[in-house]
């Protein structure tokens, strides 16, 4: 889902908290794998939204006004990449130099594992022993997202070429689309 370059200030209520199946209720789980909400006016990431995104692989919240990250992001098992540049992460400035797995590990140390299925286990070792990379190129905050996301459900894919200032469609992209 691409919601970039809007004026969105809150994610609250993006997903329902519960899924009602007849007389049974279960926590809602989204099948969303790619969420781009960069260049908006977010000041936080709603924890209920995070808890619903157990399949999320890529999150771009760059260029917002986020000052803190919810620890629940660290428990998302599929999350491989998070873009944070352009946010005033006041209490977590060091996160900008962490790769995604190190960031997730650090976030898991800040709070308990969410209840229910679909989350990683809680970290138990001391956070000061975490290896932190100072190479910002390892962390995708400065790297451009791929044009074609191959995270597939069935035969679907995602092409994102917004804000790319392309004059012509890249040949490699055309080949990748036609081969898949």
């Amino acid at each position: 889902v691409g919601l970039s370059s809007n004026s969105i200030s809150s994610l609250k209520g993006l997903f329902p908290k519960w899924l009602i199946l007849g007389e049974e209720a279960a926590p809602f789980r989204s099948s969303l794998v790619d969420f781009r909400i960069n260049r908006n006016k977010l000041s936080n990431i709603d924890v209920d939204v995070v808890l619903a995104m157990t399949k999320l692989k890529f999150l771009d919240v760059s260029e917002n006004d986020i000052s803190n990250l919810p620890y629940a992001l660290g428990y998302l098992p599929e999350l491989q990449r998070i873009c944070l540049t352009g946010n005033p992460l006041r209490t977590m400035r060091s996160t900008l130099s962490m790769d995604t797995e190190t960031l997730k590990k650090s976030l898991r140390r800040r709070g308990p594992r969410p209840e229910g299925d679909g989350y990683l286990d809680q970290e138990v070792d001391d956070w000061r022993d975490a290896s932190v990379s100072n190479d910002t190129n390892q962390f995708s905050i400065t790297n451009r997202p791929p044009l074609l996301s191959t995270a597939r459900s069935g035969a679907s894919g995602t092409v994102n070429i917004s804000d790319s200032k392309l004059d012509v469609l890249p040949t490699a992209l055309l080949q990748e689309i036609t081969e898949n």
Side-chain angles (χ1 to χ4, degrees):
V1 172
L3 296 171
S4 302
S5 299
N6 290 290
S7 296
I8 299 168
S9 60
S10 175
L11 297 178
K12 194 163 187 69
L14 180 64
F15 301 119
K17 193 166 182 170
W18 297 97
L19 181 63
I20 309 299
L21 304 168
E23 294 182 23
E24 302 275 325
F28 178 82
R29 299 291 186 259
S30 169
S31 59
L32 187 66
V33 295
D34 188 314
F35 191 36
R36 298 166 194 256
I37 190 151
N38 53 311
R39 295 185 310 270
N40 276 282
K41 296 181 179 182
L42 295 176
S43 59
N44 65 45
I45 304 171
D46 187 72
V47 70
D48 288 334
V49 171
V50 171
L51 293 174
M53 296 191 295
T54 56
K55 302 291 183 203
L56 190 67
K57 292 183 178 192
F58 177 78
L59 176 64
D60 186 351
V61 291
S62 60
E63 300 191 34
N64 277 286
D65 195 28
I66 298 169
S67 59
N68 202 1
L69 297 174
Y71 69 85
L73 274 172
Y75 290 99
L76 298 180
E78 304 291 327
L79 187 60
Q80 299 169 2
R81 199 164 145 200
I82 182 169
C83 297
L84 298 168
T85 54
N87 285 292
L89 293 165
R90 293 175 189 94
T91 59
M92 298 188 66
R93 184 58 65 194
S94 65
T95 60
L96 295 177
S97 64
M98 292 181 187
D99 63 79
T100 302
E101 285 305 313
T102 303
L103 172 61
K104 286 171 54 177
K105 191 174 186 178
S106 174
L107 289 170
R108 286 193 302 271
R109 290 186 180 112
R110 292 178 47 209
R113 182 185 185 277
E115 291 184 25
D117 296 331
Y119 304 109
L120 293 173
D121 291 330
Q122 187 168 6
E123 288 298 317
V124 291
D125 44 328
D126 192 316
W127 69 270
R128 290 174 295 244
D129 293 335
S131 61
V132 176
S133 168
N134 289 323
D135 181 4
T136 57
N137 289 329
Q138 281 187 2
F139 188 44
S140 62
I141 59 172
T142 58
N143 297 341
R144 180 186 173 126
L147 294 176
L148 180 64
S149 169
T150 56
R152 298 185 179 274
S153 172
S156 65
T158 302
V159 176
N160 179 11
I161 53 176
S162 59
D163 298 327
S164 295
K165 296 181 176 74
L166 296 175
D167 294 325
V168 295
L169 197 57
T171 307
L173 175 63
L174 287 172
Q175 290 172 347
E176 190 172 342
I177 292 171
T178 55
E179 291 174 1
N180 289 318

